[in-house]
Amino acid sequence: MKLTKGFWQTYKEVPADAEIPSHQLMIRAGLIHKSGSGLYNYLPMGLRSIRKVENIIREELNKIGCNEIAMSVVTPGELWQETGRWDKMGGLMLRFKDKKDADLCISPTNEEAVTDIFRKTVKSYKQLPVGLYQINTKFRDEIRPRFGLMRGREFTMKDAYTFHMDKASLDQGYQEMYDAYTAIFTRLGLEFIPVVADGGAMASADSKTHEFQVVANSGEDLIIYSQEAQYAANVEKAQTLRSKTNFDLNIVPLKEVETIKTESIEAVCKLLNITQAQSLKSMVYTATTKDESKLVLAMVIGDDTVNEVKLQNYLKCDHLVATTEDEMKKAKLWKGFIGPVNLDSLLSLEIILDSEINLDASYVIGANKKDAHLIGFNPKRDLKKIVSADLRLSKAGDLTLDGQNTVVEKRGIEVGHVFQLGDKYTKDMKVGILDQNGKLVTPLMGCYGIGVTRVVAAAIEQNHDENGIVWPKSIAPYQVYFATIVKAEEFVKIADDIYKDMMNAGLEVIYDDRNVGPGNKFKDSDLLGLPYRVVLGERDFGASGELEVIERKTGLVTKVKREDLIQTLNNFLK
Ligand code: ATP
Ligand code: MG
């Protein structure tokens, strides 16, 4: 691409709403334009990278025999009614009506649509297992669209779905897809970790799910990780043990103490001169299902935090929210002074203790009175009923479940997700397949997503420096930035010929033939971050017959004769 014919503009200014490097750089390097909140136009340079990501995904999925389709981006509401998701998807789904007053939405995901295609096509076990995928536009009306393509409202997703007669086949299909993802993200040049993820309240105990996380400081997800134990889990799902806790095993009678204006655990423990592990944190939540709404008291050790995903899964509720101060007041609960004793007289609520709470120890708890706590709370003695569950949020310094290794925290960007859905959709949508004995059975499903546009952002987040993007070779918009510093006609001619040679050799080259100074060309070249820059300087080339090849990542300069240029580039690009 000759830049004098190109459609490319770089920018010095960082847009005000661009908080993280990838977002700033994608705008500054002229890859994308914002068209609205969470909406972006893909410009030529950006689109080329997106297409490269798509093609790597396509090649690897085709290799495992997955079939590419393209489903309509707009899907009828009726399909979503069949699974109850028309109501459950909430504000994320953009709904509208057509002129006949029929419900439609822009697909946020496509389980219903693909299951509909499947049930119209497949009738016999002989046609299974089968996998379908598409690379298509999704729309999710995200509460906080941000970070550019990282969390857009409209974005490109690869979504794949597999169908199976039994769990063994699903497990095999899942593993194939897991391996294909590993191949994809490796080819994309990303540093990634597959992590155990949360399957939600409805997932059966044996259904597997992993997220593929790109390690980056700006990642929105927290990963609990131990290299030694080869353990990696999203914090939502992670199960670890507290490292050694010094419990207070001295049993004393319950006693109320005055704790004026000490709403936080830190303040109470400081006032009473105890460690936070000698206190318990009491959190009130409102758990809602289709049929009821109830208050729940979740308790963890003072320096722990409630993992709300675990709590929601335990309660199997549709929604779980921390009870607001107003609601607490109505229930006669004092924020900062809540505890499990004397509660029944106030209201009936379910009390759940985190399983790390030592039931034989003594703790400080809220007294359910303003400015008062109780000391000497002993769960075994003081609670009518003990209900324990794993509720705590894992944290750095915890131990793996075998107690052998310490975990650390890493931040990650979820670029892919593989998930065993089981029969959730096929059951709701009444899919029946004839097995060997002529009996109708409900097939099992897996679903597998990759955020194509998010991958591009994540790749930049992981690969950039103070001068701009440093693209992984496989997804750079072009491979070579050919910058010329020539004036005399004969050198312009040489430059044109070298460009043609590179093109003919199949190299993807940007030819910066603009009439601007070398400083501008080099700045733009660094900002765009193609793997190699080739410089033809009239003076140097005239004197030595050599060009410079500069590696973007290391700055390493190699001088090459014109006749060796293509061979050298081909070697470097391998
Ligand atoms: P997140 O937790 O980040 O909101 P999700 O778990 O809801 O994502 P999935 O339903 O698993 O997302 O979608 C599959 C993939 O699509 C994700 O792994 C992610 O890479 C990508 N993705 C999801 N939401 C967005 C978005 N708003 N913008 C860009 N990519 C997205
Ligand atoms: Mg996900």
Side-chain angles (χ1 to χ4, degrees):
M1 160 59 63
K2 272 191 176 184
L3 277 189
T4 47
K5 288 197 172 176
F7 186 76
W8 184 46
Q9 178 65 47
T10 58
Y11 303 90
K12 276 208 188 74
E13 314 75 43
V14 176
D17 68 338
E19 299 163 56
I20 60 170
S22 59
H23 186 190
Q24 295 168 354
L25 289 170
M26 290 189 87
I27 303 269
R28 285 194 49 220
L31 305 180
I32 56 171
H33 269 173
K34 182 172 177 173
S35 63
S37 166
L39 305 174
Y40 290 88
N41 297 316
Y42 309 145
L43 300 174
M45 297 291 182
L47 187 61
R48 284 183 67 98
S49 283
I50 293 171
R51 292 285 182 255
K52 286 195 176 178
V53 173
E54 291 176 358
N55 281 333
I56 288 173
I57 295 171
R58 189 171 275 123
E59 281 172 25
E60 294 300 327
L61 293 187
N62 290 350
K63 262 189 215 163
I64 60 165
C66 211
N67 302 270
E68 184 168 4
I69 58 172
M71 291 180 257
S72 61
V73 172
V74 173
T75 47
E78 292 155 26
L79 283 178
W80 299 86
Q81 297 285 8
E82 284 188 54
T83 60
R85 285 214 291 182
W86 186 255
D87 299 319
K88 274 204 186 137
M89 289 299 283
L92 203 73
M93 186 152 90
L94 186 64
R95 299 147 222 256
F96 55 100
K97 285 188 186 283
D98 65 12
K99 59 183 176 301
K100 289 184 180 153
D101 213 29
D103 284 324
L104 296 170
C105 76
I106 307 191
S107 305
T109 175
N110 276 110
E111 284 80 6
E112 283 81 354
V114 80
T115 305
D116 187 47
I117 295 176
F118 174 82
R119 71 180 164 187
K120 285 173 177 156
T121 317
V122 176
K123 304 286 173 202
S124 154
Y125 72 95
K126 290 179 191 155
Q127 294 162 280
L128 289 185
V130 71
L132 302 171
Y133 77 95
Q134 65 170 349
I135 297 174
N136 216 342
T137 299
K138 296 279 180 292
F139 189 94
R140 292 183 181 180
D141 205 352
E142 298 274 359
I143 299 169
R144 282 190 72 195
R146 56 180 187 155
F147 300 163
L149 296 195
M150 203 71 91
R151 185 171 294 287
R153 292 198 297 164
E154 183 177 308
F155 58 98
T156 305
M157 193 200 284
K158 183 286 296 174
D159 42 328
Y161 307 87
T162 60
F163 295 86
H164 308 268
M165 286 305 282
D166 52 40
K167 180 69 165 60
S169 168
L170 174 60
D171 281 344
Q172 196 186 334
Y174 183 87
Q175 189 59 44
E176 273 179 18
M177 196 60 87
Y178 184 104
D179 294 342
Y181 271 44
T182 305
I184 289 166
F185 292 117
T186 304
R187 280 183 66 186
L188 292 172
L190 298 172
E191 190 198 325
F192 66 96
I193 317 179
V195 309
V196 179
D198 173 58
M202 298 308 153
S204 62
D206 66 345
S207 81
K208 297 177 191 157
T209 171
H210 288 85
E211 288 164 352
F212 284 73
Q213 296 272 358
V214 160
V215 185
N217 288 338
S218 63
E220 292 183 285
D221 288 1
L222 193 63
I223 303 163
I224 298 294
Y225 183 70
S226 159
Q227 190 173 10
E228 300 77 26
Q230 300 208 335
Y231 180 76
N234 190 312
V235 71
E236 291 177 345
K237 177 71 180 177
Q239 278 182 299
T240 52
L241 301 173
R242 287 175 62 92
S243 54
K244 193 167 162 31
T245 311
N246 290 319
F247 288 110
D248 177 4
L249 295 171
N250 191 20
I251 303 300
V252 292
L254 263 180
K255 188 177 135 203
E256 190 178 309
V257 290
E258 201 172 51
T259 51
I260 296 170
K261 285 195 181 152
T262 53
E263 288 182 20
S264 71
I265 291 265
E266 294 81 25
V268 175
C269 293
K270 204 169 158 207
L271 180 78
L272 301 177
N273 199 19
I274 56 167
T275 66
Q276 287 185 35
Q278 291 166 359
S279 71
L280 294 179
K281 198 181 269 176
S282 303
M283 302 290 294
V284 194
Y285 291 93
T286 308
T288 321
T289 59
K290 222 168 48 221
D291 310 312
E292 63 163 355
S293 175
K294 63 176 179 185
L295 289 186
V296 177
L297 187 77
M299 301 193 63
V300 291
I301 294 172
D303 55 4
D304 273 335
T305 309
V306 176
N307 180 333
E308 295 178 1
V309 174
K310 281 185 183 172
L311 180 60
Q312 178 164 2
N313 289 348
Y314 173 80
L315 294 167
K316 295 200 184 315
C317 58
D318 297 328
H319 298 285
L320 180 82
V321 284
T323 308
T324 63
E325 234 176 305
D326 275 355
E327 288 166 325
M328 282 192 204
K329 267 190 199 139
K330 260 186 233 155
K332 300 211 177 68
L333 291 169
W334 294 100
K335 185 175 177 287
F337 303 95
I338 299 169
V341 175
N342 299 330
L343 260 180
D344 292 356
S345 56
L346 296 172
L347 76 173
S348 75
L349 91 186
E350 190 173 339
I351 300 173
I352 309 157
L353 306 181
D354 175 55
S355 32
E356 287 273 23
I357 294 174
N358 181 342
L359 302 176
D360 295 312
S362 241
Y363 302 92
V364 168
I365 55 168
N368 293 316
K369 238 188 200 179
K370 191 166 166 25
D371 293 336
H373 279 77
L374 296 176
I375 57 174
F377 170 69
N378 171 244
K380 253 191 199 154
R381 182 192 64 198
D382 299 326
L383 286 180
K384 282 195 209 109
K385 192 172 121 194
I386 304 253
V387 180
S388 281
D390 175 20
L391 293 185
R392 68 184 282 275
L393 200 66
S394 293
K395 58 190 175 196
D398 280 0
L399 301 175
T400 48
L401 285 185
D402 60 7
Q404 296 301 306
N405 293 290
T406 306
V407 301
V408 295
E409 291 175 3
K410 280 178 185 270
R411 297 223 73 93
I413 301 166
E414 179 194 328
V415 285
H417 196 164
V418 291
F419 202 116
Q420 293 191 342
L421 293 169
D423 64 1
K424 156 103 190 78
Y425 295 90
T426 43
K427 201 158 123 198
D428 285 353
M429 294 180 72
K430 304 192 175 53
V431 186
I433 300 292
L434 290 173
D435 71 5
Q436 285 102 315
N437 308 315
K439 208 178 107 214
L440 269 187
V441 298
T442 308
L444 302 178
M445 261 176 99
C447 75
Y448 319 86
I450 293 181
V452 174
T453 36
R454 181 181 285 184
V455 160
V456 177
I460 296 174
E461 203 54 37
Q462 216 171 47
N463 300 283
H464 67 269
D465 62 18
E466 64 282 5
N467 298 319
I469 303 169
V470 185
W471 285 105
K473 287 175 193 164
S474 58
I475 57 171
Y478 291 83
Q479 296 168 313
V480 176
Y481 195 104
F482 183 36
T484 55
I485 316 165
V486 289
K487 278 222 166 71
E489 196 125 325
E490 75 175 284
F491 284 102
V492 174
K493 168 85 174 59
I494 292 172
D496 285 352
D497 287 346
I498 291 176
Y499 171 60
K500 273 184 212 140
D501 290 348
M502 287 194 278
M503 297 283 284
N504 288 337
L507 291 166
E508 299 169 23
V509 185
I510 285 188
Y511 177 13
D512 194 347
D513 58 341
R514 293 174 301 174
N515 185 18
V516 297
N520 280 332
K521 291 190 179 187
F522 297 166
K523 259 211 186 87
D524 277 353
S525 156
D526 277 347
L527 180 58
L528 182 61
L530 304 185
Y532 294 97
R533 179 205 298 166
V534 172
V535 181
L536 173 80
E538 196 169 299
R539 222 178 317 144
D540 286 355
F541 189 77
S544 64
E546 285 178 333
L547 298 100
E548 278 185 352
V549 179
I550 300 130
E551 187 176 44
R552 174 66 181 87
K553 193 170 180 173
T554 58
L556 208 77
V557 181
T558 311
K559 295 204 185 257
V560 288
K561 293 268 184 229
R562 179 178 172 178
E563 54 274 23
D564 298 330
L565 178 65
I566 285 165
Q567 186 60 45
T568 305
L569 286 171
N570 277 333
N571 283 344
F572 284 169
L573 283 163
K574 249 181 223 148

